[in-house]
Amino acid sequence: MGLAHRLTAATATALLLTGGLAGCDLPGTGGSASSSSPSSPSPSGGRKAEGSLGKASFDDVSKPLVKGTFDSPMAQGAKIDIALMGLKAKGQLATLTAQLTPHVPVGDTVRLNAYRLNGEHGLGTSLIDAVNLKRYVVVKDSAGKELQTDEIFTHMTNGQTTPFYFTFAAPPENVKTVDVQIGTWPTFRDVPVQR
């Protein structure tokens, strides 16, 4: 093929590409594909990510399902606020989203973490299924690591909320609510399983 033919072919290819893309918008360029509301609800109860065209979403954790304030054995007068934001089942897994807020006297805030707030014990978070008489513990990945927010290495700030996530095997479809146990604190009863 001669030089003239190659230039003609290259020009034709460039025109086809330009013409083919003229009706399309690239993601994030503000075209019709991303003109939907950035936080429009998805059918699953989560939120669609901005500019998402498919099924991608995130859990809406703006309002707690239940919350409580409890004493902490970490220090005299220490307390912790625990808010359960949601328990979302998808496929064979369920993710519990919680928020922990420590309230510790000022002199005792060194190395503030969930482990110390729980009296230097792991949180041992679990779901209790009263329908099937089962207790679900946090699942582990293929490397043997628990699928949860690290209770020792996640630094917490006194008076500020820290999000925590725990992943379990999902209870069966017939289970509508479970009890949730976090640390040595009282059990949260009848937490709805969102599907």
Side-chain angles (χ1 to χ4, degrees), residues 75-79 103-109 158:
Q76 183 72 24
K79 296 202 175 288
H103 301 283
V104 179
V106 177
D108 296 307
T109 58
N158 199 26

Side-chain angles (χ1 to χ4, degrees), residues 29-72:
T29 60
S32 61
S34 60
S35 63
S36 63
S37 168
S39 61
S40 57
S42 73
S44 63
R47 297 297 220 194
K48 288 183 181 179
E50 184 173 340
S52 71
L53 298 173
K55 298 176 184 176
S57 65
F58 59 92
D59 291 337
D60 184 4
V61 292
S62 58
K63 184 177 175 188
L65 299 173
V66 62
K67 60 183 174 179
T69 300
F70 309 104
D71 291 332
S72 167

Side-chain angles (χ1 to χ4, degrees), residues 6-18:
R6 279 187 273 187
L7 286 174
T8 303
T11 303
T13 303
L15 288 173
L16 284 173
L17 286 174
T18 305

Side-chain angles (χ1 to χ4, degrees), residues 27 129 131 162:
D129 173 356
V131 174
T162 302

Side-chain angles (χ1 to χ4, degrees), residues 79-174:
K79 296 202 175 288
I80 184 169
D81 297 335
I82 301 175
L84 300 186
M85 307 308 287
L87 176 58
K88 178 81 174 185
K90 183 176 181 186
Q92 295 183 358
L93 296 176
T95 302
L96 174 68
T97 306
Q99 293 180 347
L100 278 60
T101 308
H103 301 283
V104 179
V106 177
D108 296 307
T109 58
V110 177
R111 291 186 352 213
L112 193 54
N113 59 33
Y115 178 80
R116 291 194 67 222
L117 286 164
N118 192 40
E120 298 193 359
H121 296 287
L123 291 179
T125 304
S126 62
L127 307 179
I128 301 164
D129 173 356
V131 174
N132 299 297
L133 302 178
K134 288 186 178 182
R135 181 173 162 260
Y136 300 91
V137 296
V138 174
V139 298
K140 295 181 180 180
D141 64 15
S142 58
K145 181 171 173 28
E146 290 182 326
L147 297 178
Q148 69 174 39
T149 303
D150 192 289
E151 53 209 9
I152 295 174
F153 296 109
T154 300
H155 176 74
M156 301 174 76
T157 302
N158 199 26
Q160 293 187 12
T161 299
T162 302
F164 276 74
Y165 305 92
F166 308 90
T167 303
F168 305 90
E173 290 278 341
N174 66 328

